[in-house]
């Protein structure tokens, strides 16, 4: 969002080095959030954790005061599509939550998010989250010099719809660099062969928001929180990527697996072994 008609800025090798450091820090903050996630904690506690980590590393949490956003991270639970505001809301067993981290380091923004399982997920939550995780991977597979931005959305939409899900249309990926939101806009739906041609040094996010029900959304009274119109679940994953001479570099790639998302403890619904009998 907010990318509008903003220019596409091609990054120099030096710009990319700074962007890599910023993106690495955002990835580390997301890993930390995943490791600390617990049933019963509030989303304000996540905000505080991420805020302190980013500031301790000499960076600034980009969402804070961005167009008036009041907190340092977006926390979007269940039917919240994006831009959830950290609050005293406590995480409950079975919730899913997207944590979206953006930081500014050495003048460059790094932007990444993931959806996490709080406790044990329902079958439908797992389906949605795993489909959405795959949507981001499929989008990334389309990134190469000479390709078109529209190739990304076409591939994501085809897969999501085949899995019985829908793709949010009101929010899109965006160019990123010295500005949080630059050109190009990167839709997660649409037509292959359309949109700007990808070239080395372009940097943008891919951040599909995928719904179990319809794609339509509403904005709550706070002016930020986007929720699905049908109040069914929504999930999202986001990476910042660079187009290279040969393909794609995932700038927010993680050095280890994401706890409570890529890996998580499953609490069996019934104890294993022999059924109880007298
Ligand atoms: N990080 C979000 C994105 O992926 C933007 C959040 S804007 C904010 O584009 F103001 F809500 F922080
Ligand atoms: Co983001
Ligand atoms: Co983004």
């Amino acid at each position: 969002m907010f990318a509008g008609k903003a220019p596409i800025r091609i990054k120099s090798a030096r710009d990319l080095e700074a962007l890599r450091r910023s993106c690495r820090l955002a990835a580390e903050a997301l890993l930390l959030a995943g490791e600390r996630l617990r049933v019963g904690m509030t989303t304000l506690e996540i905000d505080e954790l991420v805020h302190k980590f980013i500031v301790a590393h000499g960076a600034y949490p980009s969402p804070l005061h961005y167009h008036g956003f009041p907190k340092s991270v977006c926390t979007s639970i269940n039917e919240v599509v994006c831009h959830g505001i950290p609050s005293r809301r406590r995480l409950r067993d079975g919730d899913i939550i997207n944590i979206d981290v953006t930081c500014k380091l050495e003048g460059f923004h790094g932007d990444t998010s993931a959806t996490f399982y709080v406790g044990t997920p329902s079958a439908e939550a797992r389906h949605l989250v795993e489909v959405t995780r795959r949507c981001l991977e499929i989008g990334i597979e389309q990134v190469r010099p000479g390709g078109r931005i529209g190739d990304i959305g076409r591939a994501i939409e085809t897969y999501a719809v085949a899995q019985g899900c829908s793709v949010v249309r009101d929010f899109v990926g965006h160019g990123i660099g010295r500005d949080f939101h630059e050109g190009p806009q990167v839709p997660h739906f649409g037509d292959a062969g359309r949109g700007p041609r990808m070239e080395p040094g372009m940097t943008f996010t891919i951040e599909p928001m995928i719904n179990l029900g319809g794609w339509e959304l509403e904005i709550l009274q706070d002016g930020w929180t986007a929720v699905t119109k049908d109040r069914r679940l929504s999930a999202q994953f986001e990476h910042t990527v660079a187009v290279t001479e040969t393909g794609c570099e995932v700038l927010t790639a993680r050095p280890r697996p994401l706890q409570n998302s890529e890996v998580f403890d499953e609490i069996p619904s019934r104890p294993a072994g022999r059924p109880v009998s007298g």
Side-chain angles (χ1 to χ4, degrees):
M1 68 175 302
F2 308 124
K5 298 258 176 295
I8 299 175
R9 297 201 191 90
I10 300 302
K11 275 71 181 180
S12 67
R14 207 160 161 242
D15 292 343
L16 283 170
E17 277 170 31
L19 202 44
R20 257 180 219 115
R21 289 189 283 270
S22 181
C23 286
R24 168 58 75 102
L25 184 64
E28 287 287 354
L30 191 64
L31 281 164
L32 175 67
E35 283 156 15
R36 297 288 181 82
L37 205 65
R38 293 287 182 277
V39 172
M41 83 190 294
T42 68
T43 50
L44 269 176
E45 291 175 283
I46 298 170
D47 183 71
E48 196 187 355
L49 177 73
V50 171
H51 178 100
K52 285 186 172 161
F53 181 84
I54 288 172
V55 170
H57 288 82
Y60 181 84
S62 311
L64 187 60
H65 306 143
Y66 182 72
H67 291 261
F69 191 79
K71 296 289 173 189
S72 298
V73 63
C74 297
T75 52
S76 302
I77 300 173
N78 297 339
E79 74 281 2
V80 180
V81 172
C82 63
H83 303 163
I85 301 171
S87 73
R88 281 159 20 189
R89 160 76 153 85
R90 285 185 191 281
L91 300 183
R92 297 190 276 259
D93 186 26
D95 283 341
I96 58 171
I97 180 173
N98 175 276
I99 302 177
D100 192 337
V101 174
T102 315
C103 63
K104 188 181 192 184
L105 182 68
E106 301 171 42
F108 286 88
H109 297 269
D111 191 6
T112 185
S113 86
T115 299
F116 298 89
Y117 299 117
V118 179
T120 307
S122 67
E124 68 168 16
R126 266 199 86 160
H127 175 71
L128 175 67
V129 171
E130 297 314 318
V131 167
T132 309
R133 194 191 312 282
R134 185 74 193 123
C135 281
L136 174 55
E137 291 170 0
I138 285 169
I140 290 169
E141 287 166 9
Q142 297 300 315
V143 177
R144 57 179 180 85
R148 297 291 198 103
I149 289 291
D151 303 351
I152 298 168
R154 173 73 270 150
I156 290 172
E157 186 182 14
T158 299
Y159 175 73
V161 170
Q163 297 301 316
C165 298
S166 68
V167 179
V168 168
R169 309 181 83 85
D170 301 66
F171 299 107
V172 298
H174 50 91
I176 185 165
R178 289 193 179 274
D179 285 323
F180 192 166
H181 295 97
E182 304 180 349
Q185 290 194 302
V186 183
H188 307 105
F189 56 90
D191 299 318
R194 298 293 193 88
R197 203 173 282 286
M198 291 182 256
E199 53 174 292
M202 262 190 192
T203 54
F204 52 82
T205 71
I206 305 176
E207 49 181 297
M209 284 145 274
I210 306 296
N211 298 349
L212 268 183
W215 59 265
E216 296 86 350
L217 55 79
E218 285 174 8
I219 307 293
L220 298 186
Q221 283 299 319
D222 60 25
W224 282 103
T225 311
V227 299
T228 55
K229 204 161 193 174
D230 58 18
R231 300 300 192 268
R232 295 190 66 194
L233 295 178
S234 184
Q236 181 178 25
F237 287 85
E238 174 175 26
H239 273 307
T240 298
V241 306
V243 183
T244 65
E245 296 292 338
T246 52
C248 177
E249 179 181 348
V250 179
L251 298 171
T252 47
R254 289 177 286 270
R256 56 187 188 277
L258 203 53
Q259 297 292 326
N260 291 302
S261 183
E262 288 168 343
V263 293
F264 63 100
D265 302 322
E266 231 174 326
I267 301 162
S269 50
R270 262 181 290 134
R274 214 159 56 90
V276 183
S277 65

